[in-house]
Amino acid sequence: GENVEQHPSTLSVQEGDSAVIKCTYSDSASNYFPWYKQELGKGPQLIIDIRSNVGEKKDQRIAVTLNKTAKHFSLHITETQPEDSAVYFCAARFGNEKLTFGTGTRLTIIP
Amino acid sequence: GAVVSQHPSWVICKSGTSVKIECRSLDFQATTMFWYRQFPKQSLMLMATSNEGSKATYEQGVEKDKFLINHASLTLSTLTVTSAHPEDSSFYICSARIPRTGGVNQPQHFGDGTRLSIL
């Protein structure tokens, strides 16, 4: 089955700086890669996703890049703000199968 | 946008009680819903996949008779924790997937979770 590794487990960034979270996956058949943000006491919220037919996708301050050859994908947050502090999870999926999640990254934005 | 509603958000009950958690897709019909369990500072662990009108598919190690899942309609799935004990205390989260559209598989959206505390 699919295995997703996520790094780092914790990340502290000065407000205004950029944050990068990286994930690798094992199953080359995986073709859908979402990122979720989870705030304390709440469920995960989808913030961006990418399919295997593109290499990069951007939505305002958030971007995701995908390297299919290396089987890794990354989340980039620019101009970080205090409200970006949360736990971020990457995930991978093939077709309509179940999502496999990474272990999560606790991002702290330092004012 | 797509919204998944989960109820209740917090439950505290005595050991031996059965607890039902509801998950609703508010603005779309979900043929497939998922139930997850999350321990503090850990990732989401899939418990079962719930398909409307058929039996749920449980992940290895998850007791079917302990965690009863019913997906009776396209907008509602329920998880019942039967005879709950303190070790069942956890954060339970449901998720629903928007139906495949135009041949493209769609994103999965999550409810806000239910914190279950068994005394």
Side-chain angles (χ1 to χ4, degrees):
Chain A
E2 176 65 278
N3 182 52
V4 178
E5 294 187 358
Q6 182 171 348
H7 298 282
S9 56
T10 60
L11 178 62
S12 294
V13 173
Q14 205 72 37
E15 182 178 354
D17 287 350
S18 296
V20 180
I21 302 171
K22 299 181 179 181
C23 288
T24 59
Y25 60 99
S26 61
D27 188 350
S28 57
S30 289
N31 57 6
Y32 174 69
F33 309 92
W35 285 90
Y36 290 89
K37 174 184 181 182
Q38 186 176 27
E39 297 178 334
L40 191 62
K42 296 200 169 185
Q45 177 189 6
L46 180 68
I47 56 172
I48 197 167
D49 57 9
I50 191 168
R51 300 181 190 278
S52 59
N53 58 346
V54 298
E56 184 174 0
K57 183 176 178 181
K58 190 173 182 180
D59 182 4
Q60 299 182 11
R61 297 187 297 108
I62 294 173
V64 57
T65 58
L66 171 65
N67 183 326
K68 286 190 295 182
T69 303
K71 290 190 284 188
H72 66 69
F73 56 112
S74 301
L75 176 71
H76 303 254
I77 306 174
T78 59
E79 301 172 24
T80 53
Q81 301 167 3
E83 52 266 35
D84 294 329
S85 294
V87 178
Y88 291 80
F89 290 98
C90 64
R93 185 180 83 190
F94 167 66
N96 224 23
E97 295 183 1
K98 61 186 179 184
L99 285 172
T100 299
F101 284 89
T103 48
T105 297
R106 182 171 299 276
L107 175 64
T108 302
I109 307 302
I110 305 166
Chain B
V3 178
V4 176
S5 174
Q6 190 171 339
H7 179 81
S9 57
W10 193 292
V11 179
I12 302 174
C13 59
K14 294 181 179 179
S15 185
T17 307
S18 290
V19 179
K20 179 184 283 189
I21 303 169
E22 292 187 349
C23 180
R24 295 180 185 273
S25 56
L26 295 185
D27 54 1
F28 64 97
Q29 293 184 328
T31 53
T32 305
M33 289 187 175
F34 305 87
W35 287 96
Y36 293 82
R37 185 173 180 175
Q38 187 178 34
F39 291 105
K41 297 187 179 182
Q42 293 192 21
S43 189
L44 288 80
M45 182 188 78
L46 180 65
M47 299 175 66
T49 301
S50 167
N51 295 295
E52 187 268 336
S54 64
K55 291 183 179 180
T57 302
Y58 289 81
E59 295 298 301
Q60 192 173 7
V62 178
E63 298 177 59
K64 300 179 183 181
D65 296 332
K66 176 75 172 176
F67 301 99
L68 301 179
I69 291 172
N70 186 298
H71 193 160
S73 77
L74 287 172
T75 59
L76 173 65
S77 176
T78 61
L79 168 68
T80 301
V81 183
T82 61
S83 187
H85 291 285
E87 58 266 28
D88 298 322
S89 298
S90 190
F91 192 51
Y92 293 87
I93 314 172
C94 74
S95 177
R97 188 165 62 206
I98 298 173
R100 189 177 166 93
T101 305
V104 178
N105 295 310
Q106 298 300 316
Q108 196 171 313
H109 295 276
F110 288 80
D112 265 344
T114 297
R115 184 156 305 283
L116 177 61
S117 297
I118 308 300
L119 304 178

